[in-house]
Amino acid sequence: MRRLHIVALLIMFSCFSLNPTGLVFSAEETQLSSELEENSEGITLNQAVDLAINNSKSIKLAKISTEQSNLSHKAAEKNVSYEPAGSVSSAISAPFHALVAADISYQVAKKSQNSTEDKVVYSALSAYINLLNAIDSYKYSESLVANTTKQLQISRVSNQIGTLSSFELSQMESKLVAAQASLKDSENALTSAYEKFNDLIGIHINERPVLLERPQFALTEATMDTLESWVSRATEGNPDLLLKDLQINQASLQFKLYDMNKYVSEDYDSQELNIDKAKVSSQTAKDSAKQAVRNIYFNIIKLEEQYNSTQNAIKLAEETLRITKTKYELGMATKLEVDNAELAILEQQKNLNNIIGQHELLKIAFEKPWAAS
């Protein structure tokens, strides 16, 4: 199975493969279900990411801001002939102060551009996976309605021959109403997921592209023994935290170039405190970021435990289906019981796909938490 690479944008994303459940859906599938398979062009994860980057107005604006800051920095450089030292007049320090301020602005713009690109890539991954989940949910809800409809038909016959009470029949009718409402909700959620995905990659909202890949589950490489090194790595590469450090530099510069001849001493002390404020703000942000990465790690571990339990549930459901089919062939079970067993597998597979998708997104957020913010 090939692995997909998103070079210089995010972490290596786990390889994807088609993962059919082997289940046959009811013949009563609606037109929307057919639209998922027909008259649509397929799209891979890499294609979705590339389209999202090319379509992103926020990236375009970030690039413009970076170029604008670069031009301002070059212009400020031309006005500086030497670096002032100590307390000097504002007239002397102004050009150099403007240069350093322009340099900081340029660095901020570059970090912001990188952060914006990371966020767009993460958004593309998230929209792709959320759309997969929405498709799964819709197909399950559709099969549930078909299954419940059959149950209701049998219940009505049973009620007519006196083997099922009117109360039990009413309960089954309510069950179908609930299933139909759930189908409607999942249809609306699917439409919303398509519109969000299509808007992100720049195609018409009415398009229904077929998603060609599914995330393949892979355990996180981080462990409790190596967690803090992973936390440090994510913190050091966080552009939001680097901006906090730049604010410390900016406060230090303002204090260094302070014109004591122009202001009173109390204001001088206040300027010095700005450095302390910037340092405390930076450290607070770093502590919060580190804890956020730790929390993400524990959520990843929780999903890995859920993955194992859901896999076991699927194996149990598959064994139940095997036994039920055997009984059906021997005349000891009904077709509806076989349908119920197939539906149980479909539900567990839907849950497993959701866990895999969310697990992949959390692994990305673990390495680049700012991308998911």
Side-chain angles (χ1 to χ4, degrees):
M1 183 178 295
R2 66 186 181 87
R3 293 194 64 87
L4 299 170
H5 298 272
I6 302 175
V7 181
L9 292 176
L10 283 179
I11 64 169
M12 180 179 292
F13 196 76
S14 294
C15 60
F16 278 64
S17 67
L18 291 174
N19 186 23
T21 63
L23 296 176
V24 177
F25 295 104
S26 167
E28 299 179 14
E29 290 180 330
T30 66
Q31 181 179 356
L32 178 57
S33 181
S34 298
E35 290 176 355
L36 301 180
E37 307 297 337
E38 299 176 358
N39 302 321
S40 300
E41 294 184 2
I43 185 170
T44 66
L45 178 65
N46 273 346
Q47 289 172 336
V49 169
D50 290 341
L51 288 170
I53 291 173
N54 292 334
N55 185 58
S56 174
K57 293 182 177 61
S58 60
I59 290 181
K60 290 182 176 68
L61 287 174
K63 288 181 178 179
I64 293 173
S65 295
T66 300
E67 179 59 24
Q68 190 176 34
S69 297
N70 185 34
L71 293 174
S72 297
H73 180 264
K74 290 180 178 179
E77 275 185 319
K78 295 179 180 179
N79 296 325
V80 175
S81 56
Y82 69 96
E83 177 180 348
S87 297
V88 296
S89 67
S90 58
I92 296 176
S93 65
F96 180 73
H97 188 282
L99 172 60
V100 176
D103 181 67
I104 291 176
S105 295
Y106 180 47
Q107 293 183 59
V108 168
K110 288 193 295 184
K111 297 299 181 185
S112 296
Q113 180 181 330
N114 293 338
S115 178
T116 298
E117 291 173 349
D118 287 340
K119 289 179 180 179
V120 169
V121 173
Y122 181 86
S123 294
L125 301 175
S126 180
Y128 196 101
I129 288 175
N130 289 339
L131 179 52
L132 283 171
N133 290 337
I135 292 172
D136 288 343
S137 294
Y138 176 79
K139 288 185 174 181
Y140 170 75
S141 296
E142 191 178 46
S143 295
L144 180 61
V145 167
N147 179 274
T148 308
T149 299
K150 291 179 182 179
Q151 291 187 53
L152 180 57
Q153 292 170 347
I154 295 173
S155 296
R156 284 172 175 165
V157 173
S158 299
N159 176 255
Q160 290 174 357
I161 63 177
T163 58
L164 188 74
S165 69
S166 297
F167 175 73
E168 290 173 314
L169 176 61
S170 176
Q171 285 185 315
M172 184 56 63
E173 290 173 340
S174 297
K175 185 177 179 181
L176 177 59
V177 171
Q180 290 171 333
S182 178
L183 176 60
K184 185 62 178 177
D185 289 342
S186 64
E187 181 179 347
N188 292 336
L190 178 57
T191 299
S192 176
Y194 264 118
E195 290 180 354
K196 183 175 181 179
F197 178 75
N198 292 355
D199 179 68
L200 187 66
I201 66 175
I203 64 176
H204 195 278
I205 61 172
N206 292 332
E207 291 291 323
R208 293 295 181 263
V210 175
L211 306 187
L212 300 178
E213 299 168 315
R214 280 191 177 277
Q216 187 78 6
F217 184 81
L219 294 172
T220 178
E221 296 179 5
T223 65
M224 281 299 297
D225 292 336
T226 63
L227 176 57
E228 290 309 310
S229 64
W230 284 83
V231 170
S232 297
R233 188 185 312 170
T235 304
E236 291 170 1
N238 192 325
D240 295 335
L241 299 181
L242 293 176
L243 294 180
K244 289 288 186 180
D245 289 337
L246 288 175
Q247 290 174 354
I248 296 176
N249 295 340
Q250 189 175 38
S252 298
L253 172 68
Q254 290 174 342
F255 178 70
K256 179 180 178 182
L257 300 179
Y258 183 81
D259 188 351
M260 291 191 64
N261 297 321
K262 189 175 180 181
Y263 302 101
V264 296
S265 60
E266 287 79 5
D267 193 54
Y268 178 84
D269 295 335
S270 176
Q271 289 292 325
E272 186 175 19
L273 290 175
N274 282 335
I275 301 175
D276 295 333
K277 286 174 60 178
K279 288 181 179 178
V280 172
S281 177
S282 176
Q283 188 59 51
T284 300
K286 288 178 181 178
D287 291 341
S288 297
K290 288 180 180 179
Q291 188 57 49
V293 175
R294 295 187 189 100
N295 292 341
I296 291 173
Y297 170 78
F298 292 120
N299 286 331
I300 289 174
I301 298 303
K302 183 184 298 183
L303 283 177
E304 290 178 354
E305 293 172 353
Q306 292 177 7
Y307 174 83
N308 291 331
S309 62
T310 305
Q311 268 200 322
N312 291 333
I314 289 177
K315 291 179 181 178
L316 179 61
E318 288 173 340
E319 178 63 14
T320 299
L321 175 61
R322 186 190 67 80
I323 294 173
T324 305
K325 282 184 174 180
T326 301
K327 288 183 176 180
Y328 175 69
E329 293 171 355
L330 297 174
M332 300 171 61
T334 66
K335 180 61 170 64
L336 182 59
E337 289 176 313
V338 174
D339 291 344
N340 289 340
E342 289 179 339
L343 185 64
I345 295 177
L346 183 62
E347 181 179 20
Q348 292 298 337
Q349 186 62 55
K350 173 178 69 71
N351 295 338
L352 186 68
N353 289 342
N354 183 273
I355 289 171
I356 293 172
Q358 295 309 310
H359 182 261
E360 289 298 324
L361 291 176
L362 278 180
K363 286 200 298 181
I364 295 170
F366 181 64
E367 292 212 2
K368 290 193 172 184
W370 61 90
S373 62

